[in-house]
Amino acid sequence: MSTAQQPMVGAGRSGLLGVYWFLGSEATLFGALIVAAAFFRLGAAGWSDTARHLSLHTATLATVCLLGATLGFPGKVEVGFRRWKRMLLVSIGGSLFLVLKAGDFVQHWNAGFRPDAGLFWAAFYLLTGLHGLHVLAGVILAGWFGWLEFRRAPQLPLSWLRGLRLYWYFVDTVWFCLLGLFYAG
Amino acid sequence: MDWNKAFAGEGVEQEVGSSSNTATARLASARGRRPRLWPAWLFSTDHKIIGLQYLGISVVMALVGVFGAYVLRWQLAFPGTPAPLYGIVDPGPYNAWLTMHGTIMMFFVAMPLLLGAFGNYFVPLMVGAEDMAFPRLNMISVWTLGLACLVLMASFLVAEGPAAAGWTNYVPLSADPVYTGVTLGADLWLVAVFLDFAAVLMSGINVLTTALNLRAPGLTLPRVPLFVWTQVIAAVLFLFSAGPLMGAILMLLSDRHLGSGFFAAERGGSPLLWQHLFWFFGHPEVYVILLPALGIFLEIFPTFARRPVAAARVIVVALWTSAALSFVVWAHHMFVSGMSPALALPFSITTIIISVPFAVVVFALIATLRGGMLRPSTAMCFAVGGLASFLIGGVTGIFLGAPAVDMYLHDTYFVVAHFHYTLFPAVVLGGFAGLYYWFPKVTGRMLDERLGKWHCWCTLVAFQAVFLPLFFLGVHGHMRRVYDPSYYDFLRPGIFLHQMATVAAVVLVLSQALVVWNVIRSLRKGEKAPSNPWGGTTLEWATTSPPVPGNFSEPVVVAHEPYHYTDCDRRREPVPQWML
Ligand SMILES: [Cu+2]
């Protein structure tokens, strides 16, 4: 009568399920902030004019870096050949993105566009800053995973790589929402 | 009452008799090498120990929250006179205590108790797992909560005292110190709540993954006990509602320190945005607290009525329905806030609809009693009393869901009475029901039923005496949060009701000595508890009391749905889930 119960996501893959739940809550955090900023954008007349202060070149370059880092994740993690090199690619791409964003921040901050310069800037710093922190966390994790793989001491569990890949896709998605919110005039 | 003893001897023990030898052997050996040093206990990743740590945190925080309630109630009943053990209650500290009472009770007592303690301890046991899916995350979670508590408590020590903008922390009160005179305390509030939410999120991820992935063989989803369902739904609710308030906290911190104006109308922002984000979180939050309490009632009712829960699957559907609906009712807290009046109608409709699934659950619980062989244990006393009290809270919520009524009753003591009638039955009565039900499992000792009955009746009667008068004050027009009701001519005749509530509140607190004494006495020389003292049918009763490390000495296999009882010889014997 009793049948063996199959886990929802597969034995040993609880970690991935946990990452899904985590990203679900992250989605509501970013979702709420993005929706709030979108309402401000609809309500404020000067939003698109202010948006012109941002450099599209830097944004394009940053996007290329972030997406380039995503390529570091193989489509199928199982066949990930020389994974430490791939993890290195992820952390380098992510780091370049962060450097570009930091340059952006410093430039606008020094030009007097601070959070108190209007809702556009307040939302810009808060949302891209929070996103940047997420990229930073991803870079640190990728660097750590890559180092573990490089030392080959304990073989990295595949679920860790799958989890990080999922996280990175999420960070990419948020970045595209932010591009639309702040850069698309 | 010794039915309890008689019943325990009725042959429930021998079900596990076959496995009890090995179990006790393992227990004994485990006791021998159990790390007794406190750091080992402190850094444990065992879900049972972490559950007890959550319990400890919630009890300590409850002491602070209850003291706050006492200070407030004294000032309301005897304005301007020095409160014993405290002194004169000044307006500033009054606001601070008001804020801290609500914050502590909601975020630092209710959630740690119902999700952290009961959820951590019993979800793995009831699904037949060895531990949570992520034991280390579990430890980090309770540590994050501890840190949050320290941050919040630190605000009592800083210069201007703790936050004083109410537990809802509305802007502009919370955005600008000019209104409350509090600077650092308000920041500490924001940080503490953010950390608290991070802790509950980690715990929720654990509960969800454990309940989905670590179920014992045979425990298909329809066979999962209702308490586990309520924990799962509560975790999902929190997971998808906490984000907006955490985002709002970040925005408010930015407003306070970076000069942005998200919530400042004069700088293009919107004060209403805070209210929207807060209540988008706030209403599901109420169910995050309420559902686990209902889950405790749903376990206790069948056990002591010796009957399966009526319409158990319908209950699961109803709970999911209420959870989904709870995301589209939030603006019923904002009918008089100045939001578009056009929004009042849809939110009023969803609010009144959301009472339907709860009515289903309540009727199912009542139907469970019908035709049952009721055993009036203390746990049952608290469960029935809790359900009855919650009904008053639920029904008065329907009044408030109608905008025309809410226009008048909003921000009066009617609201205060209403939400205390929902939260007190859930947190305190539900918590005590769970304590009396599961104490033998956790400690291996029985609580004294006679003391328990006294405790139950004193608590129930005193609770009604505290909060029933507040409904009348509210209908009379008494605003909530006022510092001194004697300022207002029209409120002065009602002060005797405040005095009645305050006296009852003191009685309510003092009568908790009964449970403290009961617990201490039982831990010392209580009767030894068998593994299944009440004749429960769910998996936590399959193991020893207290459970062995690793929970089950033999792998458990689940054969059927919970809450089965045979109906022969006019005696109803439990048919536990693990019985083939
Ligand atoms: Cu509500």
Side-chain angles (χ1 to χ4, degrees):
Chain A
M1 178 167 168
S2 66
T3 49
Q5 180 60 23
Q6 287 298 312
M8 288 287 272
V9 175
R13 293 179 72 177
S14 291
L16 202 57
L17 186 58
V19 174
Y20 272 112
W21 293 123
F22 168 67
L23 292 180
S25 73
E26 289 277 84
T28 62
L29 170 63
F30 275 104
L33 288 172
I34 288 171
V35 167
F39 268 105
F40 284 137
R41 179 178 174 150
L42 290 174
W47 190 284
S48 327
D49 295 330
T50 325
R52 282 201 200 104
H53 289 283
L54 297 179
S55 154
L56 267 181
H57 289 288
T58 327
T60 315
L61 209 55
T63 311
V64 169
C65 290
L66 197 64
L67 290 183
T70 314
L71 291 179
F73 293 103
K76 271 195 166 179
V77 171
E78 290 84 349
V79 296
F81 184 61
R82 286 187 186 164
R83 290 195 296 229
W84 70 267
K85 284 190 180 167
R86 290 174 169 276
M87 287 299 103
L88 192 65
L89 176 64
V90 172
S91 28
I92 289 176
S95 306
L96 282 177
F97 174 88
L98 287 174
V99 168
L100 287 169
K101 286 310 299 176
D104 230 13
F105 267 40
V106 171
Q107 184 202 335
H108 293 115
W109 189 280
N110 288 339
F113 299 118
R114 298 185 185 174
D116 57 1
L119 282 175
F120 176 89
W121 293 106
F124 172 78
Y125 284 109
L126 183 65
L127 268 164
T128 58
L130 191 62
H131 175 260
L133 283 179
H134 280 74
V135 175
L136 180 65
V139 165
I140 292 171
L141 282 176
W144 182 41
F145 288 3
W147 189 69
L148 285 179
E149 279 285 310
F150 180 70
R151 285 182 58 224
R152 288 196 179 273
Q155 267 294 340
L156 205 56
L158 288 178
S159 62
W160 290 23
L161 284 180
R162 289 204 186 92
L164 184 62
R165 180 176 63 179
L166 211 55
Y167 176 81
W168 206 273
Y169 289 165
F170 173 77
V171 168
D172 282 350
T173 311
V174 171
W175 176 244
F176 279 110
C177 295
L178 298 188
L179 274 181
L181 192 60
F182 295 114
Y183 293 87
Chain B
M1 289 295 268
D2 57 355
W3 63 265
N4 162 26
K5 205 185 296 171
F7 174 56
E10 229 171 54
V12 191
E13 294 158 282
Q14 63 247 36
E15 291 152 12
V16 278
S18 56
S19 67
S20 66
N21 282 339
T22 48
T24 36
R26 251 181 80 162
L27 183 65
S29 70
R31 281 238 172 99
R33 61 185 147 81
R34 178 183 289 174
R36 290 197 180 276
L37 293 171
W38 63 267
W41 188 83
L42 215 52
F43 294 99
S44 170
T45 55
D46 182 349
H47 74 100
K48 298 187 286 296
I49 291 178
I50 291 176
L52 293 175
Q53 289 169 341
Y54 269 113
L55 180 68
I57 289 179
S58 58
V59 169
V60 169
M61 294 306 279
L63 294 178
V64 183
V66 166
F67 186 74
Y70 158 74
V71 170
L72 301 172
R73 283 249 50 94
W74 184 275
Q75 165 65 19
L76 288 165
F78 312 104
T81 61
L85 305 175
Y86 184 80
I88 297 275
V89 188
D90 287 322
Y94 181 88
N95 286 343
W97 276 117
L98 194 70
T99 306
M100 295 314 260
H101 169 72
T103 307
I104 288 174
M105 291 308 199
M106 288 295 283
F107 300 146
F108 293 87
V109 176
M111 289 201 295
L113 178 71
L114 294 171
L115 302 177
F118 285 112
N120 254 300
Y121 205 104
F122 291 106
V123 166
L125 280 172
M126 289 170 98
V127 301
E130 274 182 22
D131 203 323
M132 283 284 193
F134 313 114
R136 249 179 307 174
L137 185 71
N138 212 8
M139 184 191 75
I140 297 172
S141 153
V142 77
W143 270 91
T144 310
L145 180 72
L147 183 64
C149 290
L150 288 182
V151 172
L152 194 73
M153 288 300 103
S155 69
F156 280 100
L157 306 175
V158 300
E160 297 121 343
W167 83 277
T168 53
N169 211 40
Y170 273 10
V171 294
L173 283 185
S174 55
D176 195 331
V178 81
Y179 298 108
T180 58
V182 177
T183 49
L184 186 55
D187 291 321
L188 292 175
W189 188 97
L190 292 169
V191 173
V193 173
F194 195 92
L195 288 174
D196 175 77
F197 284 18
V200 180
L201 279 176
M202 288 185 249
S203 177
I205 289 172
N206 241 327
V207 163
L208 279 171
T209 313
T210 307
L212 285 178
N213 267 19
L214 302 188
R215 278 169 289 139
L219 191 62
T220 56
L221 283 180
R223 293 174 179 176
V224 168
L226 290 167
F227 176 77
V228 177
W229 274 116
T230 58
Q231 288 282 340
V232 163
I233 299 171
V236 169
L237 276 177
F238 195 80
L239 219 55
F240 292 113
S241 64
L245 187 55
M246 291 172 96
I249 286 175
L250 294 179
M251 286 155 104
L252 188 50
L253 280 171
S254 159
D255 273 15
R256 290 171 57 83
H257 296 287
L258 299 175
S260 62
F262 290 115
F263 300 122
E266 70 275 16
R267 276 174 281 164
S270 157
L272 271 190
L273 178 62
W274 173 271
Q275 295 191 26
H276 278 296
L277 293 173
F278 185 91
W279 289 114
F280 183 85
F281 155 80
H283 196 90
E285 162 72 5
V286 176
Y287 295 174
V288 166
I289 292 167
L290 175 64
L291 293 187
L294 283 179
I296 293 173
F297 298 161
L298 284 164
E299 294 299 321
I300 290 174
F301 270 60
T303 304
F304 294 101
R306 321 305 278 171
R307 270 200 84 212
V309 176
R313 289 195 192 187
V314 178
I315 289 180
V316 175
V317 174
L319 291 175
W320 278 111
T321 311
S322 69
L325 281 172
S326 75
F327 284 101
V328 289
V329 297
W330 79 87
H332 61 209
H333 298 271
M334 302 167 59
F335 286 148
V336 298
S337 68
M339 70 168 189
S340 164
L343 284 176
L345 184 62
F347 277 102
S348 170
I349 291 172
T350 53
T351 301
I352 288 166
I353 289 176
I354 208 170
S355 59
V356 175
F358 282 110
V360 169
V361 176
V362 170
F363 284 129
L365 276 167
I366 295 171
T368 304
L369 298 185
R370 210 184 113 87
M373 281 176 59
L374 298 190
R375 283 152 199 268
S377 68
T378 307
M380 191 63 169
C381 173
F382 269 110
V384 173
L387 188 71
S389 309
F390 168 71
L391 263 179
I392 300 177
V395 169
T396 49
I398 302 177
F399 297 3
L400 294 169
V405 183
D406 186 68
M407 294 284 169
Y408 176 71
L409 290 177
H410 186 83
D411 267 351
T412 66
Y413 264 91
F414 191 89
V415 178
V416 176
H418 152 71
F419 69 71
H420 280 93
Y421 258 99
T422 58
L423 291 166
F424 190 94
V427 182
V428 183
L429 302 181
F432 280 135
L435 174 81
Y436 282 96
Y437 186 53
W438 280 314
F439 186 88
K441 178 52 62 188
V442 175
T443 64
R445 303 277 183 165
M446 304 298 295
L447 282 169
D448 186 82
E449 281 287 313
R450 229 167 77 94
L451 271 175
K453 296 278 170 46
W454 275 101
H455 173 228
C456 181
W457 280 106
C458 290
T459 304
L460 282 178
V461 172
F463 161 65
Q464 315 294 335
V466 178
F467 291 106
L468 266 182
L470 303 190
F471 281 122
F472 297 98
L473 284 175
V475 173
H476 187 61
H478 194 323
M479 313 72 84
R480 70 191 278 203
R481 293 183 175 133
V482 285
Y483 163 64
D484 184 349
S486 66
Y487 278 159
Y488 305 88
D489 284 336
F490 80 106
L491 292 184
R492 241 170 261 143
I495 285 193
F496 81 95
L497 285 173
H498 270 314
Q499 289 166 347
M500 175 181 161
T502 300
V503 171
V506 171
V507 173
L508 179 61
V509 172
L510 291 182
S511 57
Q512 302 316 306
L514 290 169
V515 66
V516 175
W517 169 239
N518 201 347
V519 165
I520 293 174
R521 209 194 66 103
S522 296
L523 284 177
R524 277 192 175 165
K525 48 177 188 177
E527 191 189 331
K528 286 263 190 308
S531 55
N532 191 357
W534 314 118
T537 56
T538 42
L539 286 183
E540 80 270 32
W541 305 111
T543 183
T544 50
S545 305
V548 289
N551 290 347
F552 300 94
S553 43
E554 286 173 3
V556 280
V557 177
V558 173
H560 49 76
E561 294 186 13
Y563 322 124
H564 268 245
Y565 293 90
T566 59
D567 204 355
C568 57
D569 292 347
R570 303 173 70 198
R571 256 190 2 189
R572 298 202 183 154
E573 296 294 341
V575 188
Q577 278 193 289
W578 63 93
M579 298 288 279
L580 288 167

